Amino acid sequence: MALLAGCSSAAGLDEGQGGGSGTDGFGDSTGAETGSASQADSAGGNSTEEPTGWGSTTGADETGAVSSSGTGEEPSPPPSDEASPSDEKDPQNLPEADLCAADETTAWRLAVRDADAMSSPAHARQAMLGPWPSLTGVEVRPWEFLNYYTFAYPLAPPGQLLAGAQLRASQDDLGDMFELQVAVRGPELTETERPSLHLTLALDNSGSMAGKALELLKSASHVLASQLRVGDSVAVVSWDQLDPVLLPPMMVSGPNDAKLLKAIDEFTVGGAAELTQALSAAYAVADQQYVPKDINRVVFISDGGATATQDDLLQLAQRAADEPLKTGIHAIAVGVGDPALYRDDLINAIGVAGAGPSVYVGSQEAAENQLGKRFVGLVGLTASSVDVRVTLPPGLQLEAMGSAPDVEVVGQDHVTAAPNDRVVLHRRLRPCLADLDHNGAIVVEIGWTDAVTGEPKQASAEWKLTELLSGDTAWVAKGEAVLAYAEALRAIQYHAGNTEAIDTAWEQLKAAKTALPDDQELAEIEQMLAALQEP
């Protein structure tokens, strides 16, 4: 079937954010507007200070939808209106003229985003698999594609983070280059080992949830209920101002607790529904079941039709604040509904401000994969305030990602890492000396705060260029294929006849499948690329 090409204002491209160029784009738009909302006292983190950024903050333009100019020429992608944290040069590198000295290393602080933000690729996948494939309204954020797909770098030891890296030599129109992929892995944590969980489900009861969105809300809630165990507690609230509490806090009997399933199955839509009310109701019951050293989470499930005020987002950020031996109540945002109707601005804003995952569930299969199989990583937390720095040997330059900040995005500073999960960063390096010394080393340093104790921690890893260039490059090849696929989606949104980006994606996919012939996720990308080309 023919793919209906379209674009939304939040799907903009940014020079230096091209996924097809082998670099991961960054972005999240909050959709926030100034307003007021009641602020609850925090049980799980009672900071009254507004969050401060560990790195750059982000910008938001008022860029609208883009259409063809009618000249027959491919329209230029609009400036991005999405948040774009940027890589930062360490002050020791300045002045810039000294960046390529033969005896000087250069240090960079890489822009990092949470590993569980993955609404965009799931939304695109569901939109393309439907009876009328269309990317209209889908916000393609390439960095989320690196979160969504799997990269099996080694897991960290208990309570730690571990850096991994792969490097591949390549060329483009500008000459020689290197594709660098850096991974930050959390530790392994099994379901039986995780701390007790105190979960609050906040279910959107607005009229727009009728139909498929309500069906998927219940599917997602059932999957979450199936993951609970003895020792966990749960509560259910709606976004209704008049009677929000559907199930007061209770200890569950185990997976699929009968009282919980009854509350989910009897949930209906209708009546007033506002995020401000949802926050008030959800945190009120979350406070009642809060245990400082356990896992405390609020799950907001919605089709994204509501609006978040700046006060709403500040409340989410304040309640997610972690203190030593007193973890915050982090928010998990789950988007549901028909892909053509779903809007993810709200879901992403909740995830960023609430320092938690943001996912899209468009089918029962997606609910099981994203909420069931990844449950421990979804609710768990190993580290907050994650900071990644890379030091390059003399003769190598990094093509920085991101753009200068204009407007702060609430919560963007609270970068976290979860057990069983990973953050994958893809960057391009260029030699700036005629004779690059391959005995030079790339050093990756990770800094973070322990999510439970509040203790600052560090880890580092170092590899010689010769070691990386002669080593395995399968995961960096997969990363290039994933980003090229994301770039093909973005390109087709702005020009339906753009075959160049799709051709590049096929080339990268072929190389990745050569390295990973049995990778089922690459087979899925192949299916998606084929759908893009269907007449």
Side-chain angles (χ1 to χ4, degrees):
M1 296 182 183
L3 177 71
L4 304 180
C7 60
S8 70
S9 64
L13 270 164
D14 182 359
E15 290 184 12
Q17 282 193 329
S21 64
T23 52
D24 48 321
F26 296 84
D28 254 316
S29 58
T30 67
E33 41 184 64
T34 303
S36 61
S38 60
Q39 300 287 333
D41 293 334
S42 175
N46 57 5
S47 170
T48 59
E49 298 293 325
E50 294 188 11
T52 57
W54 64 267
S56 69
T57 50
T58 63
D61 301 330
E62 295 296 328
T63 307
V66 176
S67 61
S68 173
S69 63
T71 63
E73 297 179 355
E74 180 179 344
S76 299
S80 175
D81 61 355
E82 298 184 4
S84 180
S86 58
D87 297 334
E88 299 174 349
K89 287 178 290 187
D90 191 290
Q92 74 179 35
N93 296 328
L94 302 179
E96 200 165 308
D98 297 331
L99 282 178
C100 205
D103 58 350
E104 294 289 336
T105 61
T106 55
W108 288 83
R109 187 185 203 184
L110 301 184
V112 182
R113 296 303 299 268
D114 289 315
D116 282 320
M118 59 185 97
S119 172
S120 173
H123 189 192
R125 178 183 184 274
Q126 198 66 33
M128 293 171 61
L129 291 176
W132 298 101
S134 172
L135 292 173
T136 301
V138 177
E139 300 180 12
V140 179
R141 292 178 292 274
W143 62 272
E144 289 193 13
F145 285 66
L146 293 177
N147 297 339
Y148 182 78
Y149 292 104
T150 302
F151 297 84
Y153 288 91
L155 288 160
Q160 300 293 315
L161 298 181
L162 181 67
Q166 289 190 0
L167 185 70
R168 187 181 73 87
S170 185
Q171 286 187 326
D172 64 3
D173 293 342
L174 299 179
D176 293 338
M177 63 176 182
F178 299 94
E179 301 287 356
L180 172 67
Q181 188 164 280
V182 173
V184 178
R185 286 301 308 258
E188 182 178 15
L189 183 67
T190 66
E191 173 59 30
T192 57
E193 294 172 334
R194 73 161 172 83
S196 294
L197 170 65
H198 309 287
L199 193 67
T200 300
L201 301 181
L203 311 181
D204 184 356
N205 60 286
S206 59
S208 64
M209 291 288 294
K212 185 173 183 178
L214 177 59
E215 175 188 335
L216 291 171
L217 175 149
K218 293 185 177 183
S219 295
S221 299
H222 270 263
V223 171
L224 293 171
S226 72
Q227 300 300 311
L228 300 180
R229 66 172 196 227
V230 174
D232 295 338
S233 68
V234 69
V236 183
V237 301
S238 72
W239 297 23
D240 193 331
Q241 184 174 4
L242 297 179
D243 190 20
V245 180
L246 305 178
L247 180 68
M250 54 164 272
M251 302 300 294
V252 298
S253 60
N256 300 311
D257 181 274
K259 290 183 179 179
L260 173 57
L261 295 184
K262 183 174 184 290
I264 294 169
D265 292 338
E266 293 180 351
F267 173 76
T268 58
V269 299
E274 295 182 357
L275 179 60
T276 299
Q277 173 57 36
L279 295 175
S280 177
Y283 287 123
V285 297
D287 287 345
Q288 295 175 31
Q289 58 181 344
Y290 177 80
V291 178
K293 292 185 180 180
D294 289 348
I295 302 173
N296 301 271
R297 300 289 180 265
V298 175
V299 181
F300 296 89
I301 307 181
S302 172
D303 63 354
T307 299
T309 69
Q310 192 74 0
D311 285 345
D312 292 337
L313 300 177
L314 286 172
Q315 184 178 177
L316 284 160
Q318 290 165 358
R319 299 308 299 268
D322 297 309
E323 298 179 3
L325 305 179
K326 189 178 181 182
T327 59
I329 302 177
H330 292 238
I332 299 172
V334 179
V336 294
D338 187 290
L341 302 176
Y342 167 70
R343 294 295 178 263
D344 69 356
D345 286 354
L346 176 69
I347 300 304
N348 288 314
I350 291 174
V352 173
S358 57
V359 301
Y360 168 69
V361 171
S363 66
Q364 176 66 37
E365 178 189 12
E368 293 170 352
N369 288 337
Q370 297 199 61
L371 305 181
K373 294 179 181 179
R374 303 182 72 156
F375 183 76
V376 174
L378 189 80
V379 302
L381 189 65
T382 297
S384 61
S385 303
V386 178
D387 183 42
V388 180
R389 298 171 186 266
V390 60
T391 300
L392 303 178
L396 274 184
Q397 291 180 321
L398 182 143
E399 291 188 355
M401 291 299 303
S403 56
D406 294 319
V407 180
E408 181 176 5
V409 170
V410 175
Q412 184 171 279
D413 59 292
H414 202 150
V415 179
T416 60
N420 304 337
D421 223 329
R422 71 272 171 273
V423 177
V424 175
L425 305 171
H426 205 99
R427 296 293 187 273
R428 174 167 293 170
L429 310 180
R430 291 197 182 276
C432 52
L433 293 177
D435 296 318
L436 180 64
D437 184 2
H438 284 197
N439 287 317
I442 292 178
V443 181
V444 176
E445 299 172 285
I446 314 169
W448 73 95
T449 300
D450 187 279
V452 176
T453 67
E455 175 188 358
K457 292 185 176 181
Q458 292 183 329
S460 64
E462 179 176 330
W463 306 268
K464 288 186 176 182
L465 293 180
T466 52
E467 177 186 355
L468 290 174
L469 291 172
S470 62
D472 187 11
T473 59
W475 299 121
V476 71
K478 182 175 182 178
E480 291 179 61
V482 166
L483 291 170
Y485 159 55
E487 180 62 22
L489 294 175
R490 297 176 79 176
I492 209 73
Q493 283 185 309
Y494 298 108
H495 184 58
N498 186 343
T499 60
E500 182 178 352
I502 297 178
D503 291 342
T504 299
W506 278 115
E507 292 173 5
Q508 298 289 7
L509 179 63
K510 181 180 179 181
K513 291 189 70 175
T514 299
L516 298 166
D518 299 323
D519 192 301
Q520 294 302 307
E521 293 178 339
L522 292 176
E524 175 184 293
I525 292 175
E526 185 175 24
Q527 180 185 6
M528 299 299 102
L529 289 176
L532 284 176
Q533 293 183 307
E534 287 184 1

